[in-house]
Amino acid sequence: MKINGNFNNLQESYLFLDIANKTKDFQKTHPEASIIRMGIGDVTLPLPKACVKAMEKASIEMGIKESFKGYGEYEGYEFLRKAITDYYKEHGVQFSIDEIFVSDGAKSDLGNILDIFDKDNIVLVPDPVYPVYVDTNIMAGREVVFADANENNGFLPLPDSGKKVDIIYICSPNNPTGAVYSRKSLKAWVDYANRQDAVILFDSAYEAFIDDSKLPHSIFEIEGARTCAIEFCSFSKMAGFTGTRCGYTAISKELVRQGKRLADLWLRRQSTKYNGTPYIIQRGAEAVFTPEGREQINENISYYKHNCAVIGEALSSKNISFFGGKNSPYIWLKCPGGMKSWDFFDYLLESCNIVGTPGSGFGRNGEGYFRLTGFGSAENTQLAAERIIKTL
Ligand code: PLP
């Protein structure tokens, strides 16, 4: 028996473990310190009431012979896929329900989609970004090249027409930088992918945080995307489903490579390795799109964004430059005085008792930057802002 040797090529990510250990050590030596955690990428507000009500009702149905459900459809129940296609229509995007695939979240789909691609594909990943894209490709033994995201390009790299790649990751709004692609820039990626027969894997896990009506929520708002893009969406940050687990992937039937529809390959993959998202959860997700659900999720998103505004004001008052925070729950700040990411981590912990995430954990270009999130409580965020203003 041989293990998958590609695992030896993974860089051990000690980021969150290191953060936890350093924080624990600091608390031990400073038991009086009240530490505020602003590094978290998880939501803290409870599920919207509309979702809870829908899941309660669905649980009761499952206990009654006439309405009990066993295995569901691999690609999700029609009621949820219909609600998702209606949501897409709000952004002018038309999908038929057999182009929508419901799952237990974007992370699984982002990893699992790689089953439908050959090993010999060159993969382009922005740097810095959500580390899952790189790690899942390394596990599969694929070559990864990077697109530099930096201050010069507003953390939104554009295609390099001289380079040939096959699979392109785009995360917009971006984790960790909070940067969001404009229609014009996305069009450049779509045209580049179509020219090269490449496929774009577009992660829109944070689309619900976009306020600016000029910015696209979906890559399918861009002409030409249907023949080159797959979109990954999630109820996690949109509706607090990080622990409830539901997401969806959109693949147009027009996306064809080597005579095969990628939507068909994905359905084949899912029906072989996945037995569907629980009925109860799908009913909860459906409720996100009701008027009541929409109002409740918007309230929660506004709460997190208000937190970002509070942090942003505190940083501005100290002349610390930052990006994001407006159409995203993430604030990406430049470490003051040219400090390195981990040095700023120590400094912020010691001076303000605030814990954040060193930017270097998201890629080489993250060095010298730092991520703070709006996912904490309003009280703690206010307290953190006061400490930054007074002490930093
Ligand atoms: N995509 C991005 C960019 C993320 O930051 C996250 C989670 O933090 C995910 C996907 C995972 O989403 P899910 O909870 O639906 O698996």
Side-chain angles (χ1 to χ4, degrees), residues 41-42 104-110 129-130 132-133 171 173-175 203-206 232-237 241-242 245-247 330 371:
D42 197 355
D104 63 354
K107 191 180 195 172
S108 325
D109 283 4
L110 282 158
V129 86
Y130 184 50
V132 167
Y133 313 152
C171 180
N174 182 280
N175 175 13
D203 184 346
S204 64
Y206 297 96
F232 301 86
C233 311
S234 170
F235 292 94
S236 284
K237 311 296 162 88
F241 272 51
T242 51
R245 307 304 308 144
C246 197
Y330 297 121
R371 193 190 76 174

Side-chain angles (χ1 to χ4, degrees), residues 80-93:
L80 179 54
R81 288 187 289 144
K82 165 83 173 56
I84 292 166
T85 57
D86 288 346
Y87 182 58
Y88 266 117
K89 276 186 202 146
E90 291 176 25
H91 301 298
V93 175

Side-chain angles (χ1 to χ4, degrees), residues 138-157:
I138 303 254
M139 282 178 192
R142 268 191 209 94
E143 186 186 338
V144 177
V145 294
F146 293 96
D148 286 325
N150 49 41
E151 278 189 48
N152 294 335
N153 55 28
F155 294 98
L156 296 167

Side-chain angles (χ1 to χ4, degrees), residues 70-365:
Y71 291 124
E73 285 139 53
Y74 300 117
E75 62 272 51
Y77 285 100
E78 273 196 36
F79 62 78
L80 179 54
R81 288 187 289 144
K82 165 83 173 56
I84 292 166
T85 57
D86 288 346
Y87 182 58
Y88 266 117
K89 276 186 202 146
E90 291 176 25
H91 301 298
V93 175
Q94 303 288 334
F95 270 123
S96 61
I97 63 164
D98 51 356
E99 294 173 308
I100 304 293
F101 302 85
V102 175
S103 71
D104 63 354
K107 191 180 195 172
S108 325
D109 283 4
L110 282 158
N112 295 335
I113 196 78
L114 297 181
D115 277 1
I116 72 168
F117 301 117
D118 190 273
K119 181 180 158 292
D120 288 331
N121 278 301
I122 299 173
V123 180
L124 181 71
V125 176
D127 172 354
V129 86
Y130 184 50
V132 167
Y133 313 152
V134 172
D135 285 357
T136 48
N137 277 288
I138 303 254
M139 282 178 192
R142 268 191 209 94
E143 186 186 338
V144 177
V145 294
F146 293 96
D148 286 325
N150 49 41
E151 278 189 48
N152 294 335
N153 55 28
F155 294 98
L156 296 167
L158 287 173
D160 175 349
S161 51
K163 267 197 197 140
K164 168 90 181 87
V165 294
D166 305 302
I167 297 172
I168 300 160
Y169 283 85
I170 298 179
C171 180
S172 178
N174 182 280
N175 175 13
T177 67
V180 188
Y181 274 102
S182 67
R183 281 170 212 281
K184 189 166 166 239
S185 305
L186 273 191
K187 177 78 175 126
W189 279 112
V190 165
D191 289 347
Y192 171 78
N194 275 323
R195 261 198 316 274
Q196 312 211 6
D197 264 355
V199 170
I200 296 175
L201 303 182
F202 188 81
D203 184 346
S204 64
Y206 297 96
E207 63 78 25
F209 286 78
I210 297 176
D211 272 339
D212 185 339
S213 60
K214 289 195 292 301
L215 296 171
H217 288 244
S218 160
I219 192 159
F220 294 107
E221 292 176 48
I222 310 302
E223 201 200 328
R226 299 179 89 84
T227 52
C228 69
I230 298 179
E231 183 159 282
F232 301 86
C233 311
S234 170
F235 292 94
S236 284
K237 311 296 162 88
M238 175 202 213
F241 272 51
T242 51
T244 308
R245 307 304 308 144
C246 197
Y248 55 97
T249 287
I251 314 181
S252 163
K253 283 188 257 180
E254 292 170 46
L255 178 53
V256 177
R257 293 290 181 271
Q258 296 178 288
K260 298 268 188 207
R261 277 186 184 156
L262 267 51
D264 292 345
L265 298 188
W266 179 238
L267 181 58
R268 185 73 176 83
R269 189 267 167 217
Q270 288 295 79
S271 56
T272 303
K273 295 195 187 177
Y274 187 63
N275 250 343
T277 309
Y279 172 70
I280 297 168
I281 303 296
Q282 291 194 54
R283 281 292 185 200
E286 180 194 24
V288 168
F289 298 113
T290 59
E292 203 189 357
R294 289 293 284 275
E295 197 183 310
Q296 292 162 4
I297 65 163
N298 286 340
E299 252 172 52
N300 290 0
I301 289 171
S302 301
Y303 177 97
Y304 296 134
K305 289 226 296 224
H306 178 71
N307 285 345
C308 285
V310 169
I311 306 163
E313 270 172 39
L315 295 174
S316 296
S317 78
K318 292 280 151 177
N319 289 325
I320 297 174
S321 61
F322 67 92
F323 305 83
K326 286 214 167 69
N327 295 290
S328 137
Y330 297 121
I331 290 219
W332 182 244
L333 68 91
K334 188 167 187 169
C335 301
M339 260 190 229
K340 290 193 149 196
S341 300
W342 273 110
D343 294 338
F344 186 68
F345 175 92
D346 292 333
Y347 174 64
L348 193 65
L349 181 57
E350 278 157 27
S351 61
C352 297
N353 302 156
I354 295 172
V355 176
T357 313
S360 52
F362 297 96
R364 198 171 52 90
N365 289 311

Side-chain angles (χ1 to χ4, degrees), residues 20-42:
N21 287 341
K22 273 186 176 250
T23 310
K24 211 159 65 192
D25 290 347
F26 181 81
Q27 188 78 81
K28 246 190 240 155
T29 49
H30 302 79
E32 75 297 341
S34 109
I35 294 175
I36 301 176
R37 285 175 174 78
M38 298 188 76
I40 44 166
D42 197 355

